[in-house]
Amino acid sequence: MEKFRSDGVEIAYHVEGEGAPIVLVHGFASTHAANWINPGWVDQLRDMERQIVMFDLRGHGQSELLYDPEAYRLTQLAQDLKNLIAHLGLQRPDVMGYSLGAMIALRLGVDAPDVPGSIVAAGIGDTLYRPPEHVAPVVEALLTDEPDSITDMAAKAFRIFADQNKQDRRALATCFQRAREPFTPDVLAQIKCRVLVVAGEKDVLAGDPYALASSIPLGGAALIPRRDHMRAVGDKAFFEIVRNYYA
């Protein structure tokens, strides 16, 4: 991966393919590879003749690891995305994010409405209107030396996912304390570009994508049948939804 500095923090990124650019923003405890390469998204987007830009969020993968919660404010994560787009000289690229990556994409749409050409915000829904849940259990699950003691199933899933991706769990725990912030309908109404909100039909972490999309002026929504938060990313129905959106 190549690297650049975003407000002093080293961010690792990778570009491949040719065509209209789309920037992919992975979810919490994931990496560009785990979220986009392994589930088949890069192959799908290459077939769509897109240039694919991927990066690891600060505190994740090959990007710089930080241990100050204030370094993971959602506005700062969105600024990293904006800085990468500027670093590469992209003009109004499409942006697709999953879970935390979708929140970052929406925050970019609010803070810099003229930067994204469109947004696909997946793995989120109307729970974004509420204060973050599961913060303490997830942080504890990430930091414990006794993973068999974890009783909160959502927290346990994040711990397993972090270990599968060989992540620095202390950096992730620090990130989780700060990165998740609620939105309001008035804030989402500031987004100028078109936005597609997508969530799995059984994704209780995300909630209703239609209710969230209704606050966005050019918002639409779609459901991935029978999928929950962890199993939606590589689903064929998700591929088809995005293909149709950009057809």
Side-chain angles (χ1 to χ4, degrees):
M1 297 182 77
E2 298 182 70
K3 295 185 177 181
F4 85 109
R5 299 197 76 82
S6 173
D7 297 338
V9 175
E10 191 172 71
I11 302 295
Y13 70 93
H14 176 66
V15 182
E16 66 175 86
E18 296 181 359
I22 183 166
V23 184
L24 307 180
V25 193
H26 68 74
F28 175 73
S30 192
T31 65
H32 78 285
N35 210 138
W36 305 117
I37 297 176
N38 298 345
W41 272 107
V42 170
D43 292 337
Q44 292 290 324
L45 292 167
R46 287 179 71 92
D47 286 345
M48 295 168 61
E49 299 183 337
R50 303 300 299 262
Q51 181 188 61
I52 305 143
V53 178
M54 299 171 284
F55 70 108
D56 287 343
L57 299 179
R58 54 174 60 197
H60 294 69
Q62 298 181 48
S63 289
E64 188 170 342
L65 305 176
L66 304 167
Y67 304 101
D68 176 3
E70 289 304 304
Y72 295 101
R73 290 178 296 112
L74 194 61
T75 52
Q76 181 59 65
L77 298 176
Q79 185 66 39
D80 289 343
L81 172 56
K82 180 182 176 183
N83 290 345
L84 176 60
I85 290 170
H87 174 72
L88 295 173
L90 305 179
Q91 300 297 317
R92 295 188 63 81
D94 299 318
V95 177
M96 179 163 69
Y98 194 82
S99 194
L100 174 58
M103 300 175 207
I104 294 168
L106 292 181
R107 189 73 243 179
L108 177 70
V110 172
D111 294 347
D114 294 325
V115 171
S118 72
I119 294 171
V120 174
I124 59 172
D126 63 351
T127 62
L128 209 58
Y129 292 138
R130 303 197 293 268
E133 299 176 354
H134 288 101
V135 174
V138 170
V139 170
E140 291 171 5
L142 288 169
L143 295 179
T144 184
D145 292 326
E146 299 179 358
D148 291 340
S149 69
I150 303 170
T151 57
D152 186 294
M153 296 309 295
K156 189 168 188 174
F158 278 119
R159 169 60 184 259
I160 292 171
F161 191 53
D163 287 343
Q164 287 174 342
N165 292 321
K166 298 180 173 58
Q167 299 274 35
D168 183 307
R169 291 185 282 103
R170 187 162 70 91
L172 292 185
T174 308
C175 175
F176 203 78
Q177 293 176 51
R178 193 67 179 88
R180 171 72 164 83
E181 299 173 5
F183 285 78
T184 65
D186 288 345
V187 168
L188 291 173
Q190 299 172 40
I191 299 175
K192 294 181 180 179
C193 67
R194 64 179 185 141
V195 177
L196 180 66
V197 183
V198 185
E201 183 181 24
K202 296 183 178 181
D203 189 343
V204 296
L205 295 178
D208 184 356
Y210 292 91
L212 185 67
S214 67
S215 298
I216 302 169
L218 297 178
L223 281 174
I224 304 168
R226 302 179 302 279
R227 293 304 188 193
D228 60 17
H229 194 73
M230 294 298 185
R231 296 189 299 157
V233 175
D235 192 90
K236 292 181 180 179
F238 188 13
F239 294 154
E240 194 64 23
I241 287 167
V242 173
R243 278 183 173 274
N244 290 337
Y245 190 59
Y246 288 121

